[in-house]
Amino acid sequence: MMYRKGIYMNLPLSVTQEELSEVLLNVAPIRPVYIWGAPGIGKSALVEQFAENVGLPCVSLLGSQLAPEDIIGIPQVKGETSEFLPPKMIARKEPYVLFLDELNACSQEVQKAFYSLIYEKRVGEYHLPEGSIIIGAGNRMQDGAIVKTMSSALLNRMFHVQMKVDATQWLTWAYQNDIHSWVTDYITQRPDHLFSEPPKTEEPYSTPRSWHMLSDILKEYGVGKKKVEETVVRMLAYGCVSASHAGVFVAYTKQLGNKHLLNDIIKGIEKFPSKPQERDVLYFLAQSFRAKLIHELPVNKQKMNQEAQYLAHRAKALLKELSAINYEIAQMVVSSEDGETLPDWFMVEIVRDLPRLAKLAG
């Protein structure tokens, strides 16, 4: 759905990184593609990877930093007439991928300069080499980024697709690109923390890009290879990702040296930590436990496989154990305050087997 007052572009469907790669391979060679999505989710990197995959160089132009002459070039007198000489960056002899990043951040004058380039692959008398591909990308108004209304004429010249974050696909990329093990292990346990919507206030927030940044900084500090004070790790995390995620990440790093791992707790090998000084670790494990239940228990009880049946069975026993340690944290596991809920059939069983907990959590 698109509203002309501003740029609230919300297409009915969003695609993952892999799905978008397929879109680019099949659509971009025949029609210009425009990628919508929040900042930091990997739009630019994906376009660069696409160019590499099809064996073409990628030329990037940043819409927010362009003037009309950067597109149409400057006039030069030739005899009794003049012609526009396109910029060297655009006027190439071999086919290439032209990536127009932050296209909806440029002025109306610059947008007009793009009309013939996007629709006809032409700048004045210069035509892009046969086989060249044009891809645009930009943020949405709701992302709090610098965006301007895109003209209907420009919108109508492109195929539009909205990109979303997929934690499983990002983790595959992360392992291939040597992302810090603390980050990959954490996102494996908390895939819901990979991305958060941009906040209304000026503060760090979680995106694949910000987790990548945290990984780079952790490596530079030597975190994981030498002892680094908790206060330093806390400072680094809070400087990169959402405050709520940073706090849980720090709690996660504190439990790396002990055996309070969620999978071991579910298997009955270990117990939830119960010491007062381990309260933040307990909170992290409880949040991870809740996320696991939400993501692995099916909405329809009849569709449970053997692993889900075991998880559901153990979950009730673990909630009872957790209640004995800290009732408020146990309530948080079954609460629906954050908008995400456990399956109805599971909550019915909680009401039956742990009525006091269910009542307080509701």
Side-chain angles (χ1 to χ4, degrees), residues 32-33 38 67 101 118 147 150 205 208 270 303 346 358:
V33 174
D101 200 5
I118 291 175
V147 294
M150 193 182 295
Y205 63 100
E270 295 294 334
K303 294 184 178 181
F346 182 74

Side-chain angles (χ1 to χ4, degrees), residues 291-334:
K292 188 177 184 69
L293 294 177
I294 289 174
H295 288 96
E296 296 188 16
L297 292 182
V299 175
N300 187 343
K301 186 178 181 181
Q302 306 305 317
K303 294 184 178 181
M304 280 207 298
N305 56 26
Q306 191 171 357
E307 284 109 6
Q309 289 176 355
Y310 177 76
L311 177 61
H313 170 73
R314 285 290 296 149
K316 287 178 282 186
L318 290 173
L319 281 169
K320 190 176 295 185
E321 290 178 17
L322 192 56
S323 300
I325 299 171
N326 188 299
Y327 224 98
E328 290 182 357
I329 292 180
Q331 291 169 33
M332 180 270 294
V333 174
V334 298

Side-chain angles (χ1 to χ4, degrees), residues 29 56-57 59 88-98 117 120-123 125-134:
L56 295 176
V59 176
K88 182 179 179 181
M89 198 170 191
I90 293 177
R92 295 174 171 239
K93 295 181 179 180
E94 299 296 328
Y96 65 98
V97 173
L98 179 58
L117 177 60
E120 301 174 326
K121 294 184 179 179
R122 174 181 63 83
V123 179
E125 296 181 5
Y126 168 77
H127 289 262
L128 270 63
E130 187 72 25
S132 293
I133 294 172
I134 296 177

Side-chain angles (χ1 to χ4, degrees), residues 148-164:
K148 296 181 174 65
T149 302
M150 193 182 295
S151 72
S152 57
L154 192 56
L155 278 168
N156 198 235
R157 281 168 162 79
M158 295 176 287
F159 172 84
H160 297 270
V161 63
Q162 187 164 263
M163 180 177 168
K164 65 181 178 181

Side-chain angles (χ1 to χ4, degrees), residues 25-53:
L25 284 171
N26 289 282
V27 179
I30 58 172
R31 284 290 187 270
V33 174
Y34 194 87
I35 305 168
W36 296 86
I41 63 173
K43 299 186 296 295
S44 302
L46 190 140
V47 172
E48 291 170 1
Q49 183 62 52
F50 163 76
E52 183 178 328
N53 291 343

Side-chain angles (χ1 to χ4, degrees), residues 37 54 65 81 130 144 213 220 254 275 282 312:
V54 296
Q65 298 179 5
T81 61
E130 187 72 25
M213 178 167 58
E220 196 65 25
K254 289 178 66 177
K275 297 177 182 177
L282 177 66

